[in-house]
Amino acid sequence: MPREQKLIELPDGRDLHMLTAGPEDGFPLVIHEGTPVGLDVFPQTVRTARARGLKVVMIARPGYEASTPRPARKVGDVTDDVAAALDEIGADTFVTYGVSGGGPHALACAAKLPGRCLAAASVAGVAPYQAEGLDFLAGMGPENVTEFGAALKGITPLTDYLNREAAQLGNLTPDAVAAALGGLVSGVDKAALTGEYAAHVAKGLGDAVRNGIAGWRDDDLAFTMNWGFDLAKIETPVAVWQGDQDRMVPYAHGEWLASAIPGARVHLKPGEGHLSLQVTALGDVLDDLLDLAGKTGLTPK
């Protein structure tokens, strides 16, 4: 199946590392991966997208892979890079979903690229740190509590913490992924970490830190600050997916997002975790996304 990575130069002089996979004439599906994940796409995702007439488009957020860092970036700034990637492939409109730390970036597309972004989905996506009525850290695994605690202390403590963590991710093997994630994975997530998916997760974590921790660091800092757009003013159709066995992004985050985004289509899934949801529900996520966008008639490629 066609797959290509390239660097493009942006108007502000930065480089953007992007990936496309799937049929050349497929309708663009922009995927925002989590934090930290490199520019790697799960093969089953490409197959599932292709069966629905979709072409995968991914960008490495600033600081990841070969994308130039953009210090002090906000979540909403991602739309500049998404628009540039779509311009590069000659695409006017698209649908998008984001997983975990990618969820807010998909919502940014819904908020800031109306008309061009036809629908967006947050899949196990984090809510804003300043969310009123949400205890942001409650229910998170201890590793995430420590990580966000470092982010709240500032750049230097966070950088020191992430550099220590990154040293363990660079050569991670598929059979060691579950143990490396420790308290962040529930039983259902551990069960999902096998075969092709475990290999994808291990590679994505290693690729994320291959050139340093700038992307990871700036993601974390961006999550704790104002996102740069108003969830309550989103008019683009949005879906929220969340499992109740999620220790990376607790169930309450999905509930909060579902109540904060006007007209959101809500899929709160009992028995699903952070990773298992990405494996078991992918086809449903894409079908729902295409329905929200009015693109259910696409031809399989």
Side-chain angles (χ1 to χ4, degrees):
M1 196 173 299
R3 182 177 303 204
E4 180 184 11
Q5 293 193 33
K6 65 167 65 175
L7 276 181
I8 61 175
E9 185 175 349
L10 301 173
D12 62 5
R14 291 183 295 119
D15 288 332
L16 178 68
H17 194 175
M18 62 178 290
L19 173 151
T20 57
E24 187 65 30
D25 58 347
F27 188 77
L29 166 68
V30 175
I31 299 175
H32 299 271
E33 270 290 5
T35 301
V37 180
L39 200 60
D40 187 57
V41 60
F42 184 31
Q44 181 59 40
T45 298
V46 182
R47 294 191 290 266
T48 304
R50 180 182 183 180
R52 289 159 175 79
L54 294 167
K55 172 183 180 176
V56 170
V57 180
M58 295 175 66
I59 63 169
R61 291 191 290 276
Y64 287 111
E65 300 276 16
S67 290
T68 307
R70 188 178 184 180
R73 59 179 164 89
K74 294 183 177 181
V75 170
D77 292 337
V78 76
T79 56
D80 297 337
D81 297 350
V82 170
L86 293 168
D87 290 345
E88 177 69 17
I89 64 171
D92 293 327
T93 56
F94 69 104
V95 294
T96 184
Y97 75 84
V99 175
S100 189
H105 296 89
L107 297 177
C109 291
K112 298 186 66 178
L113 296 174
R116 193 166 195 183
C117 177
L118 301 185
S122 171
V123 181
V126 67
Y129 180 75
Q130 301 92 343
E132 185 176 351
L134 174 69
D135 185 342
F136 187 87
L137 297 177
M140 282 190 181
E143 294 86 350
N144 267 12
V145 173
T146 300
E147 183 176 330
F148 277 111
L152 293 168
K153 292 177 182 178
I155 292 177
T156 298
L158 179 61
T159 299
D160 292 343
Y161 172 78
L162 295 182
N163 277 326
R164 292 193 297 271
E165 293 298 303
Q168 304 176 45
L169 300 183
N171 298 304
L172 195 61
T173 60
D175 59 354
V177 170
L181 292 176
L184 294 173
V185 285
S186 59
V188 68
D189 281 336
K190 290 179 182 178
L193 281 168
T194 60
E196 188 177 52
Y197 185 62
H200 161 67
V201 173
K203 185 176 187 303
L205 290 170
D207 289 350
V209 298
R210 181 172 54 212
N211 294 328
I213 54 87
W216 188 1
R217 178 200 64 211
D218 292 343
D219 268 359
D220 280 356
L221 293 172
F223 296 145
T224 66
M225 298 184 293
N226 184 290
W227 285 2
F229 60 93
D230 188 345
L231 290 169
K233 294 182 179 179
I234 292 177
E235 297 182 356
T236 302
V238 166
V240 175
W241 295 76
Q242 181 68 44
D244 67 352
Q245 300 300 306
D246 193 331
R247 294 180 184 170
M248 293 191 197
V249 179
Y251 192 66
H253 284 240
E255 292 181 307
W256 190 92
L257 287 170
S259 66
I261 302 170
R265 189 178 289 181
V266 183
H267 306 273
L268 301 178
K269 309 292 285 185
E272 292 288 0
H274 192 81
L275 302 176
S276 70
L277 188 64
Q278 301 175 44
V279 177
T280 63
L282 178 58
D284 293 336
V285 169
L286 296 186
D287 289 340
D288 186 62
L289 195 58
L290 290 172
D291 181 60
L292 286 171
K295 288 286 184 179
T296 55
L298 293 181
T299 303
K301 304 295 182 181

